[in-house]
Amino acid sequence: MNVLEVRDLRVEFPTHRGVLTALDNVSLSIRPGEILGVVGESGAGKSMTGLAVQGLLEPPGRIASGSVTLNGRRIDTLSDREMTRIRGREIGAIFQDPLTSLNPLFTVGAQLVETIRQHLPMSASAARARAVELLAEVGIPAPSERVDHYPHQFSGGMRQRVVIALALAARPSLIIADEPTTALDVSIQAQITALLRRLCAEHGSAVMLVTHDMGVIAETADRVAVMYAGRLIEIGEVAQVTRDPQHPYTQGLMGSIPALGARVPRLEQIDGSMPRLNAIPPGCAFNPRCPQAGPRCRRERPELFTAGAEKAACWLLEGGTA
Amino acid sequence: MLVFILKRLVNAVFVMMAVAFLAFAIFQVAGDPVEMLANEQMSQVDRDALRDRMGLNDPMPVQFMRFVGNAMQGDFGMSYRNNQDVIGLIAERFPATMELVLVATLISLVVGIPLGILTAIGRGRWYAEGLQFLSIIGVSLPSFVVGIMLILVFSVILGWSPSFGRGEVVDFGWWSTGLLTPSGRAALVLPAISLSLYQITLIMRLVRAEMLEVLRTDFIKFARARGIPRHRIWFRHALRNCLMPVVTMTAMNVGALIAFALITETVFQWPGMGMLFIQAVTFLDFPVMAAYLVIISFIFVVLNTMVDISYAIIDPRLRSAR
Ligand SMILES: Nc1ncnc2c1ncn2[C@@H]1O[C@H](COP(=O)(O)OP(=O)(O)OP(=O)(O)O)[C@@H](O)[C@H]1O
Ligand code: SF4
Ligand SMILES: [Mg+2]
């Protein structure tokens, strides 16, 4: 059974100038212990997907249709109170900026103990011992002293380790890591990614890893999902997608990576930029920039078509021509 | 840090000198003090002797320095009205004003903070918007109107509480308190409510604004993602981060309340410093007016300086830089 199963997810933001569709037709799944990388340009909807899964969409944003299933249980229909019991317990989260993720007025120990006791039936002293263990596990030196320190007494990299400890505190089966290294110094990014991969392997947690860094995807992820303008356009095994991308957008993405470890730049090879949510063209959202676009691409929207072990949303995969 | 404190102190001294100059100037425009003190039968020789004894023939700067020197020792001369020590008159009235102000401050915190939280977390709901609307009225109602309405309803119509005076008081050394007798407490209720109303709306609006600000921060979102329940996020994580500005504003406003108390004291015939000042104005009792001005300003300046300095001490960045 998949840990996470997202089906045809559609997220809308009603505004006074009409309804914005932030996510449309997003379907993806993650198996136990698997790491799914999610890539795409800024504004493609990567964070939004993670938030929708966690039930953390900012009102008035809402899931308009589709479903989210966690370990066989449908969770997109749960109340916020019920989701509170799932967040932190079954889904751990890691945010982008460790400098702002922790409450400055509480020690890291207090925040760990709070999270542990929220989800697990433990005495205060047992939770504290567990907090020290967790800090040791994420590689913080002298954890029994550090547990009583405030966030501002840690460096950025150390703070992200604390955030990882918080995400893992209740041994969730799914971790959603939204650009966990983007805000960090380049020299420690690799360490943090490696730590995350090792811990999730040890705990058997599945991971949804949002990143801009195709190098991280290549090194860390098992499968990769590519997003564009709020839609999932390609998903498949990392090796396959990087070697033989099916969607013209992904081909452009891969073409723009000079070497492993390089960040995804704006797509210089492909003219133009991703459309805004209120100006997504009809048909295939990518058609104004696509070198292979045909008349059908401007009229009809492509489904995810299966191409070998991968799927991509492009008319080329259906009949060979667009 | 030390430089900062020194700067603040120098600043405070300058402000006090300016105030002292103003107070001193009152005497210069007020007319001849000798005429005020002298009685009809006094001969010109006696008057000249008195003028000389009071140092009124000295050059202006010398007179000013003497005024400052005396004021620093708490010597503001004799009241024109009843030949009592001015400082003694003020000391007699000081406890009444302070008790009124402190109780009003307490009320404004106890009522204002929960209202602020309520209007922040219920934003958009009818009760929150209603309270927000009422607070606008609260800010714009002149405090004498509030006082008179309270007297009308609770003293005149309902007869629940006295409409003037301080009730029975108990003396502790030079401090007299009305808090220990039933009549003293009853007499305090209406003036304190009347004085606190404006302050309640200020605190409510400040807490609301701060709460809304804090609730948008990453660490609150991360706390939600960790599965911390709402009430805990509001009252533990968010509120704590709002309290600092509330405490500083409250401390600074004690000075303002002492000054505002003048109106409340007049309406309720409360025997405090404000009443003393109003009486001094009607009797052209310039030494009392000058002393009131200097002492009120002194309290203002001391509070502001203390708040500024404590802000710097509490700010963690300054704290760890030490
Ligand atoms: N509260 C909101 N109301 C309306 N639109 C929103 C709101 N929040 C986000 N969006 C839009 O939703 C889209 C998806 O945003 P999202 O944050 O998921 O992008 P992302 O892929 O994570 O980008 P980045 O790489 O910059 O983090 C963006 O176009 C954004 O402008
Ligand atoms: S559907 Fe058409 S426009 Fe879209 S990517 Fe495929 S070829 Fe290009
Ligand atoms: Mg994002």
Side-chain angles (χ1 to χ4, degrees):
Chain A
M1 185 173 56
N2 287 328
V3 174
L4 179 69
E5 185 82 47
V6 177
R7 281 262 155 269
D8 291 334
L9 189 68
R10 182 180 166 98
V11 167
E12 291 179 348
F13 280 84
T15 69
H16 50 272
R17 275 198 253 131
V19 176
L20 284 183
T21 305
L23 294 181
D24 203 358
N25 260 352
V26 173
S27 299
L28 49 84
S29 59
I30 311 182
R31 289 188 289 269
E34 183 180 64
I35 300 184
L36 174 75
V38 179
V39 290
E41 278 170 87
S42 190
K46 308 181 295 288
S47 301
M48 193 72 72
T49 308
L51 292 175
V53 168
Q54 294 171 81
L56 285 178
L57 291 174
E58 301 253 357
R62 60 189 192 93
I63 295 180
S65 62
S67 66
V68 178
T69 309
L70 185 73
N71 296 316
R73 178 182 178 203
R74 185 141 177 214
I75 60 170
D76 57 302
T77 47
L78 296 182
S79 68
D80 188 66
R81 182 187 291 259
E82 289 167 310
M83 277 312 285
T84 300
R85 263 181 257 130
I86 287 178
R87 288 193 287 262
R89 177 72 192 90
E90 291 177 57
I91 307 176
I94 300 170
F95 283 12
Q96 178 169 340
D97 190 352
L99 299 187
T100 55
S101 296
L102 301 170
N103 190 332
L105 298 187
F106 293 91
T107 63
V108 301
Q111 298 182 56
L112 276 162
V113 167
E114 177 184 39
T115 313
I116 294 165
R117 296 196 70 197
Q118 187 64 47
H119 299 296
L120 306 173
M122 264 195 200
S123 70
S125 58
R128 189 184 149 87
R130 172 115 174 83
V132 175
E133 263 171 50
L134 278 163
L135 289 179
E137 213 178 347
V138 296
I140 288 184
S144 47
E145 279 166 45
R146 296 296 258 165
V147 73
D148 292 322
H149 286 186
Y150 286 90
H152 78 264
Q153 294 168 293
F154 291 80
S155 69
M158 285 296 155
R159 265 191 252 188
Q160 197 62 312
R161 286 171 192 265
V162 173
V163 170
I164 293 175
L166 279 164
L168 294 173
R171 299 242 183 273
S173 51
L174 174 68
I175 302 274
I176 297 182
D178 193 348
E179 309 199 34
T181 60
T182 308
L184 298 179
D185 219 58
V186 182
S187 56
I188 45 182
Q189 288 184 352
Q191 288 174 27
I192 296 294
T193 315
L195 174 73
L196 188 61
R197 187 176 46 184
R198 176 172 66 77
L199 289 176
C200 291
E202 281 171 20
H203 295 195
S205 306
V207 183
M208 180 169 150
L209 177 64
V210 173
T211 175
H212 274 115
D213 190 334
M214 275 306 288
V216 168
I217 297 280
E219 266 173 50
T220 315
D222 303 302
R223 288 192 312 138
V224 59
V226 184
M227 295 193 67
Y228 185 83
R231 297 148 193 218
L232 187 86
I233 56 158
E234 181 154 4
I235 183 166
E237 301 291 323
V238 169
Q240 250 179 338
V241 172
T242 45
R243 194 173 355 96
D244 183 21
Q246 298 297 310
H247 195 284
Y249 175 73
T250 320
Q251 288 162 5
L253 259 188
M254 298 306 155
S256 66
I257 313 161
L260 282 190
R263 299 208 156 189
V264 179
R266 295 240 165 239
L267 286 175
E268 309 292 347
Q269 288 85 343
I270 310 175
D271 289 337
S273 57
M274 201 173 65
R276 297 184 160 275
L277 291 184
N278 53 10
I280 295 178
C284 173
F286 187 55
N287 82 64
R289 299 167 75 191
C290 181
Q292 285 152 277
R296 190 177 188 186
C297 306
R298 282 182 275 276
R299 286 194 316 266
E300 285 173 73
R301 178 151 159 206
E303 310 261 306
L304 274 177
F305 296 109
T306 306
E310 352 179 346
K311 289 181 190 161
C314 173
W315 288 124
L316 292 172
L317 295 176
E318 195 207 28
T321 57
Chain B
M1 190 73 197
L2 212 65
V3 176
F4 174 81
I5 293 178
L6 273 175
K7 267 191 197 159
R8 289 279 121 203
L9 290 178
V10 170
N11 216 332
V13 169
F14 266 105
V15 173
M16 279 319 295
M17 287 309 278
V19 169
F21 184 76
L22 258 175
F24 178 69
I26 290 180
F27 288 99
Q28 305 312 311
V29 299
D32 192 347
V34 174
E35 294 305 322
M36 306 264 183
L37 285 177
N39 45 29
E40 317 290 287
Q41 295 89 4
M42 241 178 176
S43 71
Q44 192 57 40
V45 180
D46 287 337
R47 287 177 192 225
D48 288 345
L50 180 62
R51 181 181 310 277
D52 208 46
R53 222 168 346 116
M54 289 175 73
L56 294 173
N57 293 327
D58 294 336
M60 219 41 99
V62 174
Q63 287 193 40
F64 178 59
M65 286 324 289
R66 189 181 316 122
F67 174 77
V68 171
N70 287 342
M72 285 195 325
Q73 293 161 32
D75 178 5
F76 289 92
M78 290 296 192
S79 161
Y80 287 171
R81 194 172 144 218
N82 45 14
N83 271 334
Q84 262 184 295
D85 229 359
V86 168
I87 196 70
L89 276 176
I90 289 191
E92 208 174 87
R93 301 297 193 91
F94 182 74
T97 297
M98 279 320 281
E99 279 186 359
L100 176 61
V101 165
L102 290 181
V103 170
T105 302
L106 206 68
I107 293 176
S108 64
L109 287 175
V110 168
V111 178
I113 292 177
L115 284 184
I117 298 173
L118 201 68
T119 47
I121 63 188
R123 193 163 69 137
R125 308 264 169 77
W126 63 269
Y127 60 84
E129 299 306 314
L131 280 169
Q132 185 71 358
F133 179 70
L134 281 181
S135 81
I136 297 172
I137 299 180
V139 168
S140 45
L141 264 186
S143 90
F144 69 89
V145 173
V146 175
I148 289 171
M149 282 185 342
L150 285 175
I151 291 179
L152 196 66
V153 175
F154 291 99
S155 306
V156 180
I157 300 178
L158 295 172
W160 286 353
S161 51
S163 59
F164 62 88
R166 220 189 149 191
E168 275 175 76
V169 293
V170 180
D171 288 340
F172 287 99
W174 64 277
W175 188 280
S176 67
T177 178
L179 295 175
L180 296 179
T181 62
S183 72
R185 284 191 294 262
L188 187 56
V189 174
L190 286 189
I193 290 178
S194 152
L195 185 58
S196 66
L197 203 66
Y198 181 76
Q199 195 68 11
I200 288 175
T201 57
L202 279 190
I203 289 183
M204 165 181 156
R205 295 170 142 259
L206 179 68
V207 169
R208 178 186 131 98
E210 292 288 328
M211 276 294 271
L212 288 176
E213 182 86 27
V214 172
L215 287 175
R216 269 196 294 274
T217 58
D218 270 2
F219 68 80
I220 293 296
K221 287 187 191 137
F222 187 59
R224 298 246 290 140
R226 286 191 277 136
I228 308 302
R230 264 165 200 250
H231 60 89
R232 215 177 149 83
I233 286 183
W234 290 333
F235 295 106
R236 200 171 133 92
H237 289 272
L239 183 58
R240 205 113 163 227
N241 279 276
C242 298
L243 284 184
M244 188 60 203
V246 173
V247 169
T248 53
M249 191 182 85
T250 307
M252 292 215 274
N253 277 9
V254 167
L257 279 181
I258 293 175
F260 277 139
L262 195 143
I263 297 164
T264 311
E265 287 177 7
T266 312
V267 171
F268 289 92
Q269 296 291 299
W270 188 261
M273 290 193 292
M275 273 267 279
L276 184 70
F277 177 76
I278 296 292
Q279 286 162 353
V281 171
T282 30
F283 288 95
L284 295 181
D285 195 346
F286 293 106
V288 171
M289 285 156 71
Y292 178 82
L293 188 66
V294 170
I295 288 172
I296 297 280
S297 311
F298 182 70
I299 295 173
F300 246 100
V301 168
V302 167
L303 283 171
N304 273 304
T305 308
M306 273 175 11
V307 165
D308 278 357
I309 292 175
S310 65
Y311 223 91
I313 292 172
I314 291 166
D315 189 324
R317 281 165 304 174
L318 281 171
R319 208 199 306 168
S320 51
R322 247 187 320 171

